[in-house]
Amino acid sequence: MKTLLAFFLLISSTIALAELKIEHGVQIYYSEAIDVFEISDNLALGEYKENDYYRYWVSNLGLDSSEKSLLNKYKKLREKYYPEFLQRNEVPEIGNSLFTMNSISNTDRYAQAFYSSESVDEALKKLATNVMSIDEVKFLADFFRTLKPKISTMVKESTMFKGKMTELNRALNADRPKRLLRNAAKFLAVSERYPDDLPLFFVWWPALSKPQIDIVGNYAIMRFNPIQHTQELNEEVLITRVIQAYMIKQSKNQKDNLSKQFLLNCDPRNFLKAENVLQNPLTVVLGKMSLEEEKTQRDFDLTQDWNLGHWGNSYARLLYPVVKGLSKNGKETINGSFVTRATTLCKDLVNIRKDK
């Protein structure tokens, strides 16, 4: 991280504050400001369900009393400007929805300063100019400076992201991925700027934790370990991750209504997790299967193992021709006749399971 002292010399400057340059299309980016923000915010939240950042820090770097004191002050400052901050402590269950959790609204002015900056210095300048008092920003500068040695052990690894971005962006913006992703977004009836504009930001994530993706405002935050997980990144993985982002970005109302309609006629959740009923098989249909067909053409083998387990593999194979038929002309979406046909296939699979 650049020195934070330089920041104070520029607070009153008339120089325009730098913004992240977001290009048109589905693109991968890296921002040190976002990386540091994600680590720091999760540290302040402490130990709660799925807070892998905090657990990594405590287990590998240690957390002394002075750091705990700093984190408590940071947490109070976050709550002052974003009262809902501690609600992130609770990771609610999906409930009656067959789909992933909803996107996180980016109404948090503190967070937005980091999400729109390339460096921590830039974010602090924005906070001093538009959000916080100078004394509060001085505390943040001291907070980041004190924790810098430990945060840097993670952020230094993130330089690996930059080495992969050119290669990955080239793969994402080839004709085939662009076509598949547009078709997927249209079928999923994703609103707003999608699918043409989706900034994907890499942030550091522990090596032993499973990679995941979150939507914050109009950004997709991809939690990957820079050393362990980037070795596995390829066209197929990227397409899958973007489709997962589209799933998250669907409106809550749409997801709730589709789930109610589906579960009214077929509800296998007594032996399946909610996301494995429809979401994961459909993601594979729109991603891996469609990509495989594009690559192999007539040699496409629908019966291969799609790594979804017995139910998911069987269901994805049944759903594939349905989705392809409905989305062929780009006119029918998931809100049309899809659920009716999908529940019929679901009931058939449930009956086969009962007969065994």
Side-chain angles (χ1 to χ4, degrees):
M1 285 180 281
K2 298 176 181 178
T3 176
L4 296 167
L5 295 177
F7 152 71
F8 294 108
L9 301 175
L10 295 173
I11 288 178
S12 60
S13 173
T14 57
I15 298 175
L17 300 179
E19 293 286 334
L20 277 172
K21 294 180 180 179
I22 305 298
E23 303 293 335
H24 182 67
V26 178
Q27 290 277 342
I28 298 172
Y29 301 87
Y30 174 76
S31 158
E32 183 185 87
I34 294 177
D35 208 2
V36 172
F37 165 79
E38 289 289 340
I39 293 168
S40 304
D41 246 34
N42 280 279
L43 283 175
L45 284 171
E47 189 169 9
Y48 68 96
K49 184 180 178 183
E50 296 180 6
N51 189 351
D52 292 4
Y53 288 105
Y54 182 85
R55 280 192 282 277
Y56 174 89
W57 185 287
V58 172
S59 298
N60 295 275
L61 303 174
L63 187 64
D64 61 36
S65 58
S66 62
E67 290 170 340
K68 288 181 181 178
S69 177
L70 269 179
L71 288 169
N72 284 331
K73 291 179 182 178
Y74 177 93
K75 181 164 60 178
K76 290 178 181 177
L77 187 61
R78 289 291 281 119
E79 287 182 279
K80 176 181 177 180
Y81 289 96
Y82 188 55
E84 295 83 8
F85 176 66
L86 285 181
Q87 291 178 7
R88 293 176 59 185
N89 255 332
E90 301 174 1
V91 181
E93 299 298 330
I94 292 178
N96 290 322
S97 176
L98 297 176
F99 297 93
T100 189
M101 299 300 298
N102 298 307
S103 60
I104 301 170
S105 173
N106 197 10
T107 57
D108 180 354
R109 290 190 299 160
Y110 176 92
Q112 184 55 37
F114 287 86
Y115 281 124
S116 62
S117 299
E118 291 188 2
S119 69
V120 174
D121 279 354
E122 290 170 12
L124 293 179
K125 285 188 289 183
K126 291 172 184 176
L127 290 173
T129 304
N130 302 312
V131 181
M132 297 179 173
S133 70
I134 297 299
D135 285 341
E136 288 170 332
V137 178
K138 284 181 178 179
F139 161 74
L140 286 176
D142 183 60
F143 171 86
F144 288 118
R145 184 167 48 246
T146 302
L147 295 183
K148 177 180 177 180
K150 290 184 177 179
I151 291 179
S152 291
T153 63
M154 292 173 271
V155 174
K156 284 178 181 177
E157 291 183 358
S158 294
T159 57
M160 295 285 290
F161 290 139
K162 297 178 181 179
K164 291 282 289 187
M165 285 194 309
T166 300
E167 170 194 339
L168 296 175
N169 279 326
R170 188 182 299 118
L172 268 180
N173 285 281
D175 290 340
R176 181 169 56 207
K178 286 172 70 174
R179 182 168 58 252
L180 288 178
L181 292 176
R182 285 199 179 101
N183 290 341
K186 286 178 183 177
F187 182 74
L188 293 171
V190 181
S191 59
E192 298 180 26
R193 299 185 305 172
Y194 297 84
D196 293 323
D197 289 333
L198 179 61
L200 301 155
F201 279 90
F202 276 132
V203 298
W204 187 93
W205 188 240
L208 297 180
S209 301
K210 184 179 179 180
Q212 67 182 52
I213 188 165
D214 296 313
I215 296 290
V216 180
N218 288 318
Y219 297 161
I221 305 301
M222 299 203 302
R223 306 186 193 281
F224 282 78
N225 183 264
I227 296 174
Q228 184 68 32
H229 298 151
T230 52
Q231 296 175 7
E232 305 163 7
L233 280 175
N234 53 35
E235 182 185 42
E236 178 186 296
V237 172
L238 288 172
I239 287 174
T240 298
R241 292 296 176 180
V242 175
I243 291 173
Q244 288 173 344
Y246 291 159
M247 289 276 193
I248 296 170
K249 195 61 182 175
Q250 286 178 295
S251 71
K252 182 179 185 301
N253 186 57
Q254 174 175 297
K255 287 190 279 193
D256 287 348
N257 287 336
L258 289 171
S259 298
K260 288 177 184 177
Q261 185 183 354
F262 189 103
L263 295 172
L264 184 66
N265 295 291
C266 185
D267 188 353
R269 291 177 300 169
N270 61 322
F271 62 90
L272 284 175
K273 291 183 178 179
E275 62 268 28
N276 290 333
V277 174
L278 179 62
Q279 175 186 302
N280 291 341
L282 186 56
T283 299
V284 168
V285 166
L286 294 169
K288 288 183 181 179
M289 286 184 168
S290 297
L291 178 62
E292 187 69 15
E293 184 181 31
E294 287 253 351
K295 286 181 176 178
T296 58
Q297 298 299 320
R298 286 177 295 181
D299 296 325
F300 175 52
D301 180 12
L302 196 59
T303 65
Q304 65 182 279
D305 184 2
W306 300 102
N307 298 314
L308 290 169
H310 294 305
W311 170 276
N313 281 334
S314 299
Y315 199 31
R317 291 163 188 156
L318 294 171
L319 287 176
Y320 187 76
V322 174
V323 173
K324 293 295 283 188
L326 293 175
S327 60
K328 187 174 182 180
N329 298 320
K331 294 181 179 179
E332 181 126 17
T333 71
I334 196 171
N335 294 316
S337 63
F338 170 74
V339 171
T340 300
R341 299 175 68 174
T343 52
T344 298
L345 296 173
C346 173
K347 285 188 288 187
D348 289 342
L349 279 180
V350 170
N351 289 334
I352 291 172
R353 186 176 185 273
K354 288 178 179 178
D355 291 340
K356 288 184 176 181

